[in-house]
Amino acid sequence: MSTHEHAPIGGRLFTRWFLFLLAIVLIAGVVLGERFIFGLGAATNLNDGYPWGIWIAIDLIIGTALGCGGFVTAFLVYILNKGVYHPLARAGLMTSLFGYSLGGLAVMFDLGRWWQGYNIMLPWLINPNSVLVETALCIFAYTMVLMVEFAPTVLERFRMTRSRKTLHRVLFFFTGLGCLLPMMHQSSMGTAIVLLGYKLSPLWQSQMLTVFFLLTAVSIGFAVVVFESALSSVVFDRPFETRILAGLCGVMAWVAVIFLALRGIDLVRLGAIGLAFDATTPAASFWVETGLGVAAVALLMPVRNRSNPRTIFLGATALLLHGALYRLNCYLIGYDPGYGWHYFPSAGEILVTLGVFSLHVLLYLALVRHLPVLHAVERSTDAGRSTGSPGRLAIDQSR
């Protein structure tokens, strides 16, 4: 396995965009203050028919899937020994740490008795018959594992060499655990909604939900790594990591093909495909979801497209949205609790969700500027011309 150096990118932190995102976070904090003081009814449109809304469907279910970048890159680099992807590993782990920490925080927003949330850590208060116990414990455990996996980055920044070497002796254990835990709870998120029964549209209700949620965790995990890499290249004026990302694009395309094929076979098996042609909101959302998956395959499957940063970015974005919409369909759009129940998120719920994602971006900006998260770049004018992007320089990947 090859090794690669990492370095803080430096630069000014408090830009106009940073302050704008910070303002959204502060507004979300005010809404949450209202929610925690006066209850869920004061800040949300939740009701007995819709006991969860976007704080669970987006912030937790999609948010933790966005946090699977660390899991998939660690699996490639440390389990399959694909060292060529090592430059992406730390950024993936950091994204996972943010995704899972903020996802866990979002659970607290939605808990009716949020002040008793610590009960999950007390074995004598755990309900072993709850389908959500395994998911909650795995998410909590994986967040702790991610902190350990990301610790070498902090130790390296503060030149704590001895502590870093000591940690490296046991890091293989946490890496293995960090690959196992996400597979368990991401698949369990699909298992949980099997319990919705007839309330979930047959377009999504299936015994295959466990497999589909695991596949979308993998596809979103790869897609978010590629998406962030391409975006950071533009925002921080860094070289595109085209050669590294091209390999990931091939994996992403085949994961999407497997998912779409299994989905199609499953819908035919269940006799639910006819519902896709009804004039309903779930049917329309089904076609948007399927269209995004097909678009991702069309963009990422041709080998020639994988050398084009624009195509790579568009393909990763399509796959990201495809997986996110599939999960949103399962948890909200395809869910129908019966006549008389309606739900649309309140302004407060939307602001909090925007605040959570804004906080994710703020933390990313702060840490990549001050910690050795992104790989060090060796700039070369000749290499820059090879990208076909004037003024942009390519990475020396010959190491």
Side-chain angles (χ1 to χ4, degrees):
M1 183 176 67
S2 63
T3 58
H4 301 83
E5 295 181 354
H6 297 78
I9 63 170
R12 189 161 62 97
L13 180 61
F14 291 96
T15 62
R16 282 183 296 179
W17 279 108
F18 188 92
L19 295 174
F20 174 72
L21 294 173
L22 184 60
I24 295 176
V25 174
L26 293 176
I27 293 171
V30 173
V31 175
L32 285 175
E34 181 187 21
R35 175 264 171 273
F36 285 128
I37 294 173
F38 300 107
L40 285 167
T44 73
N45 284 340
L46 298 178
N47 51 59
D48 289 342
Y50 286 89
W52 61 51
I54 60 172
W55 290 349
I56 292 297
I58 296 180
D59 300 12
L60 175 64
I61 303 300
I62 297 175
T64 54
L66 293 173
C68 285
F71 147 55
V72 293
T73 52
F75 189 85
L76 275 181
V77 174
Y78 301 113
I79 304 299
L80 300 182
N81 203 24
K82 301 291 184 183
V84 66
Y85 300 112
H86 186 262
L88 305 172
R90 283 191 180 181
L93 283 173
M94 188 181 70
T95 302
S96 292
L97 183 57
F98 294 160
Y100 274 87
S101 300
L102 297 177
L105 190 64
V107 173
M108 299 302 293
F109 304 162
D110 211 69
L111 284 181
R113 298 179 181 180
W114 56 270
W115 59 88
Q116 293 183 331
Y118 67 89
N119 285 353
I120 192 65
M121 294 182 285
L122 305 178
W124 57 92
L125 293 178
I126 290 176
N127 175 10
N129 295 317
S130 171
V131 71
L132 296 177
V133 164
E134 184 265 341
T135 302
L137 290 176
C138 273
I139 290 177
F140 177 75
Y142 185 47
T143 305
M144 299 297 106
V145 168
L146 283 169
M147 290 181 181
V148 175
E149 288 185 292
F150 191 66
T153 305
V154 181
L155 297 176
E156 181 181 321
R157 170 65 179 81
F158 295 100
R159 300 180 180 178
M160 301 171 70
T161 308
R162 183 173 298 178
S163 300
R164 189 181 167 205
K165 286 182 178 178
T166 303
L167 180 59
H168 268 292
R169 291 173 186 162
V170 296
L171 203 55
F172 71 93
F173 171 76
F174 292 95
T175 301
L177 202 57
C179 291
L180 174 65
L181 291 173
M183 293 187 194
M184 294 171 63
H185 62 252
Q186 287 294 335
S187 57
S188 294
M189 287 179 180
T191 306
I193 55 172
V194 172
L195 299 178
L196 294 179
Y198 67 89
K199 294 181 180 180
L200 180 60
S201 168
L203 287 172
W204 293 279
Q205 181 60 277
S206 166
Q207 298 91 337
M208 291 286 289
L209 276 163
T210 300
V211 176
F212 292 146
F213 265 68
L214 183 58
L215 284 174
T216 53
V218 173
S219 65
I220 292 176
F222 280 125
V224 76
V225 169
V226 174
F227 178 86
E228 283 188 352
S229 172
L231 204 58
S232 65
S233 293
V234 174
V235 173
F236 301 128
D237 193 24
R238 291 166 57 86
F240 287 110
E241 301 166 308
T242 308
R243 191 182 304 175
I244 302 176
L245 299 183
L248 289 186
C249 289
V251 178
M252 290 157 57
W254 279 111
V255 172
V257 167
I258 293 170
F259 178 89
L260 291 171
L262 288 178
R263 275 278 281 157
I265 294 170
D266 195 44
L267 285 171
V268 172
R269 177 182 69 87
L270 295 171
I273 191 67
L275 295 175
F277 299 95
D278 291 347
T280 61
T281 300
S285 192
F286 167 81
W287 285 115
V288 175
E289 171 203 316
T290 305
L292 286 167
V294 172
V297 173
L299 288 165
L300 298 175
M301 186 59 80
V303 176
R304 65 179 182 280
N305 286 353
R306 300 176 200 166
S307 60
N308 185 327
R310 186 187 299 275
T311 311
I312 290 175
F313 177 75
L314 291 176
T317 303
L319 192 59
L320 198 60
L321 293 175
H322 166 259
L325 185 56
Y326 172 78
R327 290 181 170 228
L328 189 63
N329 284 333
C330 290
Y331 270 80
L332 272 184
I333 297 175
Y335 173 67
D336 182 3
Y339 180 77
W341 296 112
H342 303 283
Y343 168 77
F344 190 82
S346 68
E349 289 176 87
I350 295 172
L351 281 170
V352 169
T353 294
L354 290 176
V356 168
F357 282 91
S358 297
L359 183 57
H360 187 137
V361 177
L362 290 179
L363 291 172
Y364 181 90
L365 292 173
L367 265 61
V368 298
R369 290 191 184 282
H370 295 97
L371 293 178
V373 175
L374 301 179
H375 61 271
V377 173
E378 293 181 8
R379 295 177 181 272
S380 161
T381 305
D382 292 339
R385 282 195 288 269
S386 70
T387 65
S389 176
R392 190 167 300 288
L393 307 177
I395 307 170
D396 179 2
Q397 297 177 47
S398 59
R399 291 178 297 177

